[in-house]
Amino acid sequence: MGRSNPTMSAAGLRIEGLSFSYGPRQALSDVSFAVERGRFCALLGPNGAGKSTLFALLTRLITTPCGLIHVAGHDLRQVPRSALASMGVVFQQPTLDMDLSVRRNLSYFAALHGLSARQAGSRIDAALERLSIADRAGERVRDLNGGHRRRTEIARALIPAPDVLLLDEPTVGLDAAARASITAHVHDLCDDGGLSVLWATHLVDEVRPEDQLVVLHQGRVLANDTAGTVAGQRPLAERFLALTAAA
């Protein structure tokens, strides 16, 4: 079955028994899984599966008394500041200032996090190098293509030196080459930097066989293992359709 059961392992991100309702509609029901340090976890589900609700709970945009969320060992309900400080987030909708340069966007973000100019400078340089956009640092975001804008947002999320990186449908609107490049860069962050990554997507081609895969559908976890194990002898797209159709 590949690696040991992810829900029982020491984790950068651990979710247990998480449920949430919008009035009578159950958006999440008893969701439990964990992402180990240095692991890339794809949260795969069709539109309406509950991925955005889960991300809203992870970032405390909404709260629930049902379930536990631990980020780098910090209980999000009990010590929210410590938990959120351990997390970097890339939302589905772009949030960069289009008229500022790449570096100015990142510098502004670093200042909001209370970093000194020296700390900010070194972390910005490191983040830009890791995302291979150091040569674009002086360009306005408006002048970048979609792939480089996304890399800038990921670089920005790395500035606080998070233990956990959340990305909500980060490749929406990008062409196939840009999507592949962004996915590869984030995998490298796991391999080289030890980040725990939760990558929400509805696209099976963004998932590698060795990735942890959590299939979410109608608010429930249908599978949690390596993608290769979940797929078995079938293409992952075919297995994913079979799982969601059966549910």
Side-chain angles (χ1 to χ4, degrees):
M1 294 293 291
R3 291 174 177 258
S4 59
N5 186 342
T7 60
M8 299 300 293
S9 305
L13 177 65
R14 182 162 58 92
I15 298 166
E16 295 182 359
L18 197 63
S19 297
F20 185 84
S21 296
Y22 296 101
R25 183 173 72 84
Q26 190 79 22
L28 295 175
S29 181
D30 196 27
V31 170
S32 299
F33 66 91
V35 185
E36 299 176 22
R37 186 177 185 274
R39 198 82 168 104
F40 183 103
C41 177
L43 179 68
L44 182 64
N47 292 331
K51 301 189 299 297
S52 294
T53 298
L54 177 58
F55 268 60
L57 288 166
L58 291 172
T59 53
R60 275 186 76 83
L61 294 174
I62 57 177
T63 60
T64 177
C66 304
L68 298 174
I69 299 171
H70 286 235
V71 183
H74 304 293
D75 187 314
L76 184 61
R77 184 182 300 134
Q78 299 296 327
V79 284
R81 292 183 64 181
S82 297
L84 292 172
S86 301
M87 184 189 303
V89 185
V90 178
F91 292 103
Q92 185 176 133
Q93 296 300 320
T95 57
L96 297 168
D97 188 317
M98 302 293 284
D99 292 316
L100 294 181
S101 70
V102 168
R103 183 174 292 277
R104 288 294 298 276
N105 266 280
L106 272 56
S107 296
Y108 180 65
F109 185 76
L112 291 177
H113 279 262
L115 298 179
S116 68
R118 183 174 182 179
Q119 285 178 310
S122 62
R123 291 193 187 185
I124 289 169
D125 288 342
L128 292 174
E129 286 291 341
R130 290 174 79 178
L131 273 300
S132 301
I133 51 172
D135 59 332
R136 304 298 181 99
E139 296 183 25
R140 288 193 314 166
V141 170
R142 187 180 302 281
D143 298 328
L144 301 178
N145 62 35
H148 285 110
R149 290 179 189 175
R150 268 310 191 194
R151 290 195 210 180
T152 300
E153 292 194 277
I154 296 170
R156 183 181 61 181
L158 296 178
I159 289 173
D163 297 292
V164 176
L165 182 62
L166 309 178
L167 303 102
D168 187 8
E169 301 275 3
T171 62
V172 167
L174 301 182
D175 61 34
R179 288 199 297 110
S181 177
I182 296 294
T183 307
H185 275 290
V186 176
H187 276 88
D188 288 343
L189 293 175
C190 294
D191 296 338
D192 301 335
L195 276 174
S196 302
V197 167
L198 182 62
W199 174 286
T201 184
H202 63 279
L203 302 169
V204 295
D205 65 345
E206 294 181 350
V207 186
R208 298 177 178 180
E210 67 273 17
D211 291 339
Q212 180 182 343
L213 174 63
V214 174
V215 177
L216 188 69
H217 182 54
Q218 295 179 346
R220 295 179 179 274
V221 173
L222 302 185
N224 177 18
D225 211 314
T226 62
T229 299
V230 173
Q233 300 302 311
R234 305 164 70 177
L236 180 57
E238 185 178 316
R239 177 61 177 151
F240 174 59
L241 289 173
L243 279 170
T244 53

